[in-house]
Amino acid sequence: IVAKDTPNIYVEAVTVHDRPALKIPTRLGVDRIKFLDGRAPKVMWAERGKGRAHPYGLTRAQRIGGETLYIVNGEPSVWACSQSNVPAVCTAAGEGVALGPDALAELAGSGFAKLAVVYDRDQAGRDGAHKLVLALRDAGLDARALELPARLGPGGDVDDLHRLVGDTGLVRALAELPELRAALAAVPDPLEPLRHVKDAESLEKALRDLKAATGHLDWIGRQVCRERAIEALKAGDLKVT
């Protein structure tokens, strides 16, 4: 696979455990195995215990340069971006795996001003994108999640988008993606139970009400409540009567 203005990407077709696969070299010194038969597991490390989540493709992305680094799902989506002269990486570990301190430090020192997470059009992709954005923001990085177009269908990814728009259209297609919004209509104001606290007894009741108001939320909803509360407190929005 040859990408414009970047080194060649060498991928070897292999058979692993009697299954067709691609052997993908990484700079960790251990290969990533991507199976092609659609069965689980879809990916694995060639040597157990030696692989980890890291920004795969970062060196090529830095050679391409630009203001925004795209974080996509899977090596083929990284290759599609490289071929289209779009700086992109993947975590080489799937959408649900958290980045460790070393990987976060690499992204912080990558030279890109902004990070845009563009994961697959499914629930795992949406949840993983929001989770990663929160982790990136907690690390002090400017990050947001973007949503792929519905015309890609369920499970569509950046590689599918590239197939649709081609090399010349991917830059614009990614730049025009809307921000991914969680279904947050049911997320309450996290500070509302605390706005009418007058004494220790009413504080205890307010804390119980707060727990009840947020107990039904999933992990993302609770994190959104946390972010909203922090923003409101910073803005001096909590008026205790």
Side-chain angles (χ1 to χ4, degrees), residues 127 130-132 134-135 217-225:
D127 290 350
H130 285 297
K131 184 176 180 180
L132 179 55
L134 289 172
L217 300 175
D218 60 10
W219 185 91
I220 291 174
R222 292 193 296 272
Q223 291 299 311
V224 169
C225 274

Side-chain angles (χ1 to χ4, degrees), residues 60-234:
R60 289 188 298 276
Q62 288 172 317
R63 287 195 175 97
I64 294 172
E67 181 183 36
T68 300
L69 175 66
Y70 292 93
I71 303 178
V72 300
N73 183 41
E75 293 85 354
S77 288
V78 174
W79 304 336
C81 287
S82 294
Q83 182 171 310
S84 304
N85 224 30
V86 173
V89 298
C90 70
T91 66
E95 296 164 309
V97 176
L99 291 176
D102 290 344
L104 290 171
E106 283 187 86
L107 291 174
S110 65
F112 292 94
K114 300 178 181 180
L115 303 175
V117 182
V118 192
Y119 277 176
D120 297 3
R121 277 191 62 85
D122 54 26
Q123 193 59 50
R126 287 187 287 273
D127 290 350
H130 285 297
K131 184 176 180 180
L132 179 55
V133 165
L134 289 172
L136 293 170
R137 289 177 179 174
D138 281 347
L141 302 175
D142 183 348
R144 59 182 180 142
L146 303 179
E147 184 173 13
L148 288 166
R151 56 183 170 164
L152 296 182
D157 61 13
V158 171
D159 187 28
D160 295 320
L161 180 63
H162 172 250
R163 295 171 190 271
L164 185 67
V165 302
D167 289 352
T168 58
L170 189 60
V171 172
R172 180 175 179 178
L174 288 172
E176 293 179 348
L177 291 179
E179 190 163 356
L180 177 64
R181 301 288 184 180
L184 300 177
V187 175
D189 176 0
L191 297 182
E192 181 58 32
L194 303 178
R195 294 184 190 281
H196 307 291
V197 170
K198 298 178 180 179
D199 50 33
E201 183 178 350
S202 60
L203 174 60
E204 186 176 344
K205 180 181 183 302
L207 292 175
R208 288 198 303 269
D209 291 344
L210 179 60
K211 183 177 180 179
T214 59
H216 71 285
L217 300 175
D218 60 10
W219 185 91
I220 291 174
R222 292 193 296 272
Q223 291 299 311
V224 169
C225 274
R226 172 178 172 271
E227 280 205 342
R228 286 181 178 176
I230 291 173
E231 290 175 1
L233 289 170
K234 286 180 177 179

